[in-house]
Amino acid sequence: MIQRIQTLYLLAVVALGITLCFMPVLQFVTPEEAETLQIWELSAFAYSSVPLQGLWGLTLTTILIPLLALVDIFLYNKRLLQARLNIFTVMLCLGYYGVLAIYVWLAKTALGVDWHILPWASIPLVCLVLTVMATRRILKDEALVRAADRIR
């Protein structure tokens, strides 16, 4: 299990996904013409710091990315299921940015604030690349096993 390179890729996705759970990805700042400067940071669990309702979408995608990668590590005998689960994880990584864009749009219209993206927002993109690399290696292993079965 651990000797396969795709397991290391998936472990990196788990570690980065857990890191993403606790890091802010966006900053909302009141415009310059406001009397007081207020800064809110948006992360997966920061409900009280941002005056927006319904941040469950960001929390759900942030939790599911490392959770699915962790489950995927232990499915090393079922390579096709593992590859399908990886494709779903890739779609979740892309969905994370969709949910983030919705929250930026909501904050822009409801609160009238400016937003700044933080470097931690690139973690799902790195997870996406690592998951694609792991999927390619999983499918390569499956082809190798099928070729060995065909020789017998």
Side-chain angles (χ1 to χ4, degrees):
M1 176 174 74
I2 196 71
Q3 69 269 18
R4 297 168 51 200
I5 189 71
Q6 58 263 30
T7 304
L8 297 177
Y9 292 151
L10 292 172
L11 278 175
V13 170
V14 170
L16 287 171
I18 290 172
T19 304
L20 181 64
C21 288
F22 301 106
M23 295 296 171
V25 291
L26 285 176
Q27 265 185 349
F28 296 113
V29 181
T30 55
E32 293 179 5
E33 55 268 359
E35 303 92 37
T36 60
L37 178 69
Q38 291 183 336
I39 298 175
W40 297 291
E41 288 185 337
L42 178 69
S43 66
F45 300 114
Y47 289 104
S48 61
S49 64
V50 179
L52 289 175
Q53 298 296 322
L55 292 176
W56 59 269
L58 192 65
T59 304
L60 187 66
T61 55
T62 306
I63 290 172
L64 279 179
I65 290 170
L67 186 67
L68 286 178
L70 185 65
V71 167
D72 205 12
I73 290 171
F74 294 106
L75 293 174
Y76 58 91
N77 284 335
K78 301 175 182 162
R79 285 174 290 279
L80 292 178
L81 178 63
Q82 198 177 25
R84 287 184 190 126
L85 199 59
N86 274 347
I87 291 169
F88 186 70
T89 306
V90 165
M91 289 190 296
L92 273 176
C93 289
L94 292 174
Y96 180 87
Y97 288 114
V99 170
L100 204 59
I102 290 170
Y103 288 141
V104 166
W105 179 73
L106 284 174
K108 192 91 168 129
T109 58
L111 302 174
V113 294
D114 297 328
W115 59 279
H116 304 286
I117 195 158
L118 298 175
W120 302 108
S122 65
I123 289 177
L125 184 64
V126 174
C127 290
L128 181 134
V129 170
L130 288 172
T131 306
V132 168
M133 289 170 50
T135 305
R136 292 184 62 177
R137 291 302 299 231
I138 290 165
L139 293 176
K140 192 174 183 180
D141 277 357
E142 180 64 21
L144 184 67
V145 167
R146 287 187 185 219
D149 285 344
R150 198 172 32 245
I151 291 174
R152 285 188 220 172

